Amino acid sequence: MDTLDTNNWLLTALVFAPLAGALVMALIPEKEEDAQKQWAVFTSLVTLGLGIFLLVDFDYDQAGVFQYFVDTEWIEVIGAGYTMGVDGMSLPLIALTVLVMPLVFIYSWNHIPSPGNPKAFLMLMLILETGMIGTFVAQDLILFFVFFEVVLLPMFFMIAVWGGEDRRYASLKFFLYTLFGSALMLLSFLALFFLTGAETGDYTFNMLALSENAGDGIVRSTQLIVFGGMFIGFAVKVPMFPFHTWLPDAHTQAPTQGSVILAAVLLKLGTYGFIRIAIPMLPEAAEAWAPFIGLLAVIGIIYGALGCLAQSDMKRLIAFSSVAHMGFVMLGISTLTDFGINAAIFGMVAHGLITGMLFFVAGSVKDRYHTLDIARLGGMLVQAPKLGWILGFTAMASLGLPGLAGFWGEFPAILSAYNPAAGLPEETFRGYMVVAAVGTVLAAGYLLWLLQRTAMGEPSEEFVDDPEITDVSTIEWIAWTPFLVLIVVFGVAPGLIFEVTDPAVVESLRGCLETGCEAARTAAEAVGG
Amino acid sequence: MSALLAQAEFVRPPIDWHAAAPELTLLAFGALLTMMDIGWLERGRRAAAPMASIALLATMIPILTLAADGADRSMFNGAFVVDNYSLIMKAMFVLAGYVVVLLSTNYIAEGDYWENEYYGLLLSSILGMVLMASARDLITIFVALELLSIPAYMLATWRKRDLKSNEAGLKYYLMGVFASAVMLYGMSLLYGSTGSTLLTDIGAVLDTGADPTAVVVLGIIFVVVGFAFKVSAVPFHTWAPDTYEGAPTPVTAFLSVASKAAGFVALMNILFVGLLGRDDVVEPLMWVLAAASMTVGNLVALRQTNIVRMLAYSGVAQAGYMLAPLAVIGDVPDTALGAVVTYLVIYAAMNLGAFAVVIAAARKTRSAEIGDFRGLFHYAPGLTVAMTIFLFSLAGIPPLGGWFAKFRVIEALIDANNASGVALGVVVAVNSVIALYYYARIGLGMWAEEAPDGDLSRVDVPPSLVAAIGLTAIVTIIFGLGLVVGDFTDVSLLPTGI
């Protein structure tokens, strides 16, 4: 496969700038809290600057080709390479990451959660940023795996130290679930390495080469098992029903910043893994697994929505809505079509912006009311009208109102299920489509109900004269405006993302998925025979 | 004696002094240390620890020159071999010994224990390990094993006024001697059925497949069981928790890292050089030992309240991970050997580091209860960060060293390309998750909870401990980033060499 390697210092700089910032942060004395915050914002802005350079310099005419491609030796003995590249599939997600992080740091300016210690808190977030960007640029399975895991420790500590009442339970649960998934994923990576190597004679973890070979020559039953390992690894991270139970706990207990990062970026590591690794490398197995994945996706949509309706805690409700939204993303992916996967990537970005924003609002509500119990809240539009309107706006975006970003994640994903890839059972997917459509109704239900109970009506007695309940502060405006603007921009001009992702998605689905694996195999046999 | 004299034409076998230089250096310094004690009596106390450090660093010199030289050397008909593998293991033993000296310096001096004898015995035990790395003969292996074990028995009882320490030493001694006896019997069976004590000869006889008798199988089982005691594999691990808890903590660190590694080295020498022809017996044996060790070790570790006991059980589980590649030695011998060597080296760094932090923290808390690690972050952030690195490295979280070790193990298992290998790989993967629970729980306690008595006075950590912790932490991270570790794979015990 062709690659472009001009300016290939860029990805290394982009990935390791936050880490370097974290190391420098270690030298700032503990007392200098302002300096620490300034430094964190500065580091993330430098990273954002590099990201903007990437966005500007990226050759959009060749979005299907890996650009800024680096490929050198790393751990020679196991055949792992330091391989990085960006194409249209990873670009939106990288942009999302480098954009969200500075906003989170700005928000942290006067929102360091108890028990304080901003230095450690900010350092963990910077390390997290390195892990996230690294996962999106890695083009080597081992490098991918390492970055994929690097995010675990900082997130674990963010929840465990700065989280809510039940933080110990939630953090351990998060850690154990994800590690279980990734341990099996690693087994699959190794199996793929040896099986592909035995077939082609070239033992490599290079993702381009593995996608190129696309599981050719590996026995079908083995392919199914290997895909199963990857499936568990990524599905836990997404999270898909029934692996989702860590998410509501983690989200509810995590500090606001942790929830925002988790929702905006971390969950996308799982879905990204599906479209970057699992499907292109084992398309035949993907085809076999797809109806099952689609089924779990729609169960997730309905289950998440019903879960939302049952919640009394605002943050937990938003967490369950994540399960439902990621269900739409996974439904799009499970169709294995160009259309569905494009919708999925859009859905990832939209969900990142919208749910991230919802968690910001939830965090600010918690700061003011010291509770997230929906029954006790109310009348936010009276007491803090701007905050209430932002909540309303974001809720509308989340339920998929046309004209806002959420629509373009949900609607095409549902639509794509009407016409899944050749070789997939059409009736089944059309059934999924109906169920998913019901899910959007439920989504409107729980979001409007949330809005009605928290923002409308009169303030409850206990908060009516509470002086702490103020409207949106300047810091919050700075941190939130980009989210709100982008939700509108992507809602009005979805092409901004679709045009970037499409060539790369087409490239990743090359070969057997265009025509259906069965047909591709018959054709190949006909040519060969 | 008379028989030897009667052999009129006895010729001394040629000795390659360079090849024997590491052992001889260590021996010379050990003798010097003992002399110092005799000559200076109490005045020698303060010189003992520095002397031991110098001895170990000086031993590194011939190891490095041999490595630079690069040629494989063999002496005594092949009973003593110096190759890449043995040099890596020797260096590991010596450096692990050096870290143990750093750990011991204040502990032993402040505890009013005998110092010269302590370091003398430590050096003697390390000498046994260094010799073991080169031993390719049943008798040499046995001698090396006793040379490293007997001083260790004594070291375990070093806190002689403490009942637990006495219990530790006695248990270790009785179990150890029993294991030696079983192993010796197994060796005699192997010798009896193959006619040689040289591993290469045994290997040659077994390779022909001419003599598939039950005696050989019995011999293999006995030898393996003997070493299973040494490396504390389930079900032969019962001595480890009590001994670890009772022995002085630096000695525990020594036992759990160096002594265990020596057991593995001996096992690998015998399995790869001698018994590869009977992998039909060895592989299932190792499979069961590995799976049982990691599962039982991890499950029992979940319930521990004492951190040293927890590390003991975690050590049992880690031994299981290290035994796992040996379950596929017949399929991918070189990969399996590389995996075990890599694991041993990385394990040495991270486990010694964990013990170093335990020793440092106990200087304030005077306890090794897990509960007393709560709130460590509030009064000792440096120790907390270090302990976090070691614990999560033991759990195998990238980018800390442990992940690479586990990766190599799983790689070897998958590379074997058979159902039993893959099944064991899944066992390893599931066990890593179980293990994370107890490692992460300590991490949680250190970071997220308050100190038990609200006492936030700082811990006074002496420089030698700082050096030990710093050294092991840096090594753990460097290995985790994939630097240097590649060299540990460049090993082979297959007969193509010499």
Side-chain angles (χ1 to χ4, degrees):
Chain A
M1 198 187 290
D2 287 341
T3 52
L4 296 175
D5 58 0
T6 43
N7 280 335
N8 66 8
W9 52 269
L10 183 62
L11 295 183
T12 305
L14 191 64
V15 171
F16 293 106
L19 186 66
L23 293 178
V24 173
M25 175 93 82
L27 304 176
I28 304 177
E30 209 145 321
K31 295 270 183 294
E32 310 271 340
E33 299 199 352
D34 277 349
Q36 292 156 12
K37 291 172 186 167
Q38 283 160 6
W39 177 252
V41 172
F42 173 76
T43 308
S44 63
L45 284 178
V46 169
T47 315
L48 176 63
L50 290 167
I52 289 173
F53 177 74
L54 174 71
L55 283 174
V56 172
D57 191 56
F58 189 82
D59 184 352
Y60 290 92
D61 294 333
Q62 303 191 55
V65 173
F66 285 101
Q67 308 189 14
Y68 311 98
F69 196 72
V70 198
D71 188 12
T72 50
E73 288 292 344
W74 176 34
I75 314 180
E76 214 167 324
V77 289
I78 58 170
Y82 181 79
T83 314
M84 290 176 168
V86 175
D87 70 352
M89 231 147 80
S90 33
L91 189 71
L93 296 168
I94 296 168
L96 179 70
T97 312
V98 294
L99 175 75
V100 166
M101 289 312 286
L103 304 177
V104 172
F105 283 116
I106 290 171
Y107 182 82
S108 303
W109 194 267
N110 51 12
H111 289 95
I112 294 290
S114 133
N117 198 341
K119 180 171 164 181
F121 189 66
L122 299 170
M123 273 174 76
L124 287 177
M125 287 204 283
L126 285 171
I127 299 173
L128 205 55
E129 187 173 4
T130 286
M132 295 185 299
I133 303 175
T135 312
F136 291 133
V137 299
Q139 299 301 334
D140 177 280
L141 284 182
I142 297 305
L143 194 65
F144 175 89
F145 173 77
V146 169
F147 281 126
F148 194 80
E149 300 286 282
V150 162
V151 301
L152 290 185
L153 267 185
M155 197 32 118
F156 169 69
F157 281 116
M158 277 177 78
I159 301 174
V161 180
W162 288 273
E165 279 298 300
D166 230 359
R167 55 183 190 267
R168 282 174 215 102
Y169 171 74
S171 58
L172 265 180
K173 196 171 178 184
F174 158 76
F175 207 164
L176 290 171
Y177 263 75
T178 14
L179 189 74
F180 175 72
S182 47
L184 293 181
M185 183 179 89
L186 182 63
L187 286 179
S188 287
F189 284 179
L190 276 165
L192 195 62
F193 171 79
F194 285 115
L195 293 168
T196 308
E199 186 63 29
T200 63
D202 175 24
Y203 286 88
T204 176
F205 285 109
N206 188 305
M207 286 158 58
L208 279 62
L210 290 171
S211 304
E212 187 84 357
N213 188 55
D216 200 18
I218 304 174
V219 185
R220 185 180 155 89
S221 57
T222 313
Q223 278 202 36
L224 291 180
I225 298 172
V226 175
F227 190 93
M230 293 185 192
F231 169 76
I232 293 179
F234 295 133
V236 168
K237 198 91 177 180
V238 170
M240 290 187 78
F241 180 88
F243 306 107
H244 67 282
T245 61
W246 63 268
L247 183 81
D249 288 313
H251 262 320
T252 316
Q253 300 304 326
T256 305
Q257 289 90 334
S259 295
V260 172
I261 297 173
L262 202 54
V265 189
L266 276 198
L267 304 186
K268 278 75 202 176
L269 300 186
T271 40
Y272 175 78
F274 273 109
I275 56 176
R276 170 67 77 208
I277 294 175
I279 293 173
M281 288 181 197
L282 291 169
E284 204 180 332
E287 192 192 272
W289 272 78
F292 178 65
I293 297 176
L295 176 67
L296 291 180
V298 291
I299 293 179
I301 293 173
I302 298 297
Y303 182 90
L306 293 178
C308 284
L309 287 170
Q311 296 312 314
S312 59
D313 182 287
M314 187 169 161
K315 233 174 157 184
R316 225 177 148 77
L317 189 151
I318 304 171
F320 268 100
S321 83
S322 272
V323 177
H325 281 123
M326 294 315 273
F328 285 108
V329 173
M330 286 311 300
L331 179 65
I333 291 175
S334 73
T335 64
L336 300 182
T337 54
D338 172 27
F339 189 54
I341 291 179
N342 275 315
I345 300 175
F346 198 102
M348 293 184 217
V349 176
H351 172 264
L353 293 170
I354 295 167
T355 310
M357 188 61 229
L358 280 175
F359 276 116
F360 266 139
V361 173
S364 289
V365 168
K366 171 102 181 176
D367 278 344
R368 291 168 170 79
Y369 292 83
H370 303 288
T371 179
L372 285 169
D373 190 355
I374 299 174
R376 288 170 62 194
L377 300 171
M380 209 186 296
L381 282 171
V382 177
Q383 282 183 298
K386 287 175 190 143
L387 189 62
W389 278 116
I390 290 175
L391 176 63
F393 172 82
T394 323
M396 292 300 159
S398 182
L399 65 81
L401 193 73
L404 298 177
F407 175 76
W408 297 107
E410 250 170 54
F411 177 67
I414 299 173
L415 204 56
S416 70
Y418 184 77
N419 214 351
L424 295 180
E426 214 162 65
E427 299 79 13
T428 315
F429 273 87
R430 288 186 183 165
Y432 295 161
M433 186 182 83
V434 175
V435 180
V438 172
T440 59
V441 179
L442 289 174
Y446 63 75
L447 283 163
L448 293 176
W449 196 27
L450 168 75
L451 199 61
Q452 187 207 349
R453 286 181 293 170
T454 56
M456 313 219 168
E458 289 300 314
S460 64
E461 267 178 38
E462 61 174 316
F463 297 119
V464 80
D465 291 319
D466 196 328
E468 278 192 58
I469 299 174
T470 51
D471 218 337
V472 183
S473 70
T474 318
I475 292 279
E476 287 167 341
W477 273 125
I478 299 173
W480 295 353
T481 310
F483 279 92
L484 303 172
V485 170
L486 285 177
I487 290 173
V488 176
V489 168
F490 288 136
V492 179
L496 288 176
I497 294 182
F498 283 136
E499 276 161 24
V500 181
T501 56
D502 190 54
V505 174
V506 171
E507 180 69 21
S508 82
L509 291 176
R510 243 170 4 119
C512 89
L513 284 171
E514 276 168 4
T515 50
C517 294
E518 199 71 41
R521 206 170 32 244
T522 339
E525 270 162 21
V527 173
Chain B
M1 199 63 194
S2 56
L4 196 64
L5 285 176
Q7 254 184 326
E9 68 280 77
F10 174 75
V11 194
R12 193 199 70 179
I15 292 181
D16 182 345
W17 294 103
H18 193 182
E23 282 82 0
L24 294 176
T25 318
L26 210 47
L27 184 63
F29 273 98
L32 200 63
L33 198 69
T34 315
M35 293 301 209
M36 232 165 58
D37 188 35
I38 296 170
W40 287 355
L41 297 173
E42 276 303 284
R43 280 169 296 159
R45 270 186 85 111
R46 274 160 65 196
M51 189 70 183
S53 307
I54 293 170
L56 291 165
L57 293 180
T59 310
M60 278 308 286
I61 297 172
I63 294 178
L64 290 176
T65 56
L66 281 168
D69 181 60
D72 290 348
R73 293 152 188 272
S74 168
M75 269 196 288
F76 310 125
N77 295 326
F80 183 96
V81 170
V82 174
D83 55 12
N84 207 356
Y85 158 79
S86 65
L87 285 175
I88 289 173
M89 294 326 293
K90 280 175 200 227
M92 193 208 86
F93 287 132
V94 169
L95 292 177
Y98 178 71
V99 174
V100 171
V101 171
L102 289 179
L103 299 185
S104 309
T105 308
N106 288 73
Y107 190 99
I108 298 298
E110 291 165 15
D112 196 26
Y113 305 114
W114 298 105
E115 283 184 70
N116 288 15
E117 289 86 342
Y118 178 90
Y119 292 108
L121 288 172
L122 194 64
L123 289 188
S124 144
S125 187
I126 296 170
L127 173 61
M129 296 170 181
V130 171
L131 180 62
M132 182 68 90
S134 286
R136 300 287 187 278
D137 174 279
L138 290 180
I139 294 175
T140 319
I141 288 177
F142 186 73
V143 169
L145 188 72
E146 294 306 304
L147 187 56
L148 76 90
S149 295
I150 293 171
Y153 300 146
M154 290 190 265
L155 289 174
T157 57
W158 212 249
R159 299 189 302 162
K160 62 182 175 188
R161 287 174 209 88
D162 184 285
L163 215 54
K164 275 199 167 172
S165 186
N166 282 302
E167 182 195 338
L170 194 64
K171 264 192 182 158
Y172 186 35
Y173 171 69
L174 289 177
M175 290 295 204
V177 171
F178 177 61
S180 294
V182 170
M183 178 169 41
L184 205 52
Y185 184 52
M187 286 179 172
S188 74
L189 292 180
L190 282 181
Y191 172 64
S193 46
T194 59
S196 171
T197 58
L198 266 181
L199 292 177
T200 43
D201 292 353
I202 295 176
V205 173
L206 293 181
D207 259 343
T208 59
D211 192 21
T213 56
V215 176
V216 176
V217 177
L218 215 56
I220 294 173
I221 292 176
F222 281 164
V223 169
V224 167
V225 165
F227 287 113
F229 271 100
K230 204 76 215 163
V231 304
S232 67
V234 173
F236 311 105
H237 66 290
T238 44
W239 59 272
D242 292 332
T243 302
Y244 283 12
E245 190 188 355
T249 322
V251 174
T252 307
F254 182 66
L255 294 181
S256 77
V257 168
S259 175
K260 180 178 288 187
F264 268 102
V265 167
L267 193 57
M268 290 191 290
N269 292 351
I270 294 182
L271 293 184
F272 283 96
V273 184
L275 305 181
L276 211 51
R278 292 310 302 270
D279 59 342
D280 56 327
V281 182
V282 174
E283 286 194 353
L285 206 56
M286 288 298 159
W287 202 101
V288 173
L289 279 178
S293 298
M294 44 191 151
T295 313
V296 174
N298 278 327
L299 290 180
V300 182
L302 290 175
R303 296 192 56 85
Q304 300 306 313
T305 56
N306 179 298
I307 197 161
V308 177
R309 284 186 85 86
M310 190 218 83
L311 284 172
Y313 281 107
S314 110
V316 171
Q318 302 274 349
Y321 302 139
M322 290 184 241
L323 284 168
L326 299 180
V328 292
I329 51 169
D331 310 292
V332 282
D334 275 343
T335 319
L337 181 70
V340 182
V341 170
T342 309
Y343 210 117
L344 283 172
V345 175
I346 294 176
Y347 174 71
M350 58 194 182
N351 214 41
L352 282 174
F355 274 107
V357 178
V358 171
I359 293 170
R363 290 174 66 83
K364 181 189 162 192
T365 60
R366 297 281 152 215
S367 117
E369 290 302 307
I370 289 177
D372 288 323
F373 276 80
R374 279 179 297 166
L376 190 69
F377 181 65
H378 300 299
Y379 58 90
L383 283 183
T384 311
V385 171
M387 192 60 169
T388 309
I389 290 174
F390 298 130
L391 288 176
F392 287 102
S393 177
L394 283 165
I397 307 293
L400 305 166
W403 84 268
F404 189 74
K406 279 218 183 74
F407 178 88
R408 293 304 320 248
V409 167
I410 297 180
E411 185 194 15
L413 291 171
I414 303 278
D415 194 11
N417 199 12
N418 55 34
S420 73
V422 174
L424 198 55
V426 174
V427 176
V428 171
V430 171
N431 266 290
S432 316
V433 183
I434 302 175
L436 175 71
Y437 180 76
Y438 57 82
Y439 293 125
R441 212 181 36 178
I442 299 179
L444 269 183
M446 292 190 303
W447 286 81
E449 293 184 37
E450 296 302 318
D453 46 6
D455 175 11
L456 293 185
S457 58
R458 297 255 154 188
V459 185
D460 150 52
V461 186
S464 62
L465 273 182
V466 174
I469 294 171
L471 207 65
T472 45
I474 291 170
V475 169
T476 304
I477 292 176
I478 287 179
F479 285 167
L481 296 178
L483 311 170
V484 189
V485 275
D487 298 333
F488 304 138
T489 312
D490 187 20
V491 289
S492 177
L493 277 171
L494 297 186
T496 47
I498 322 161

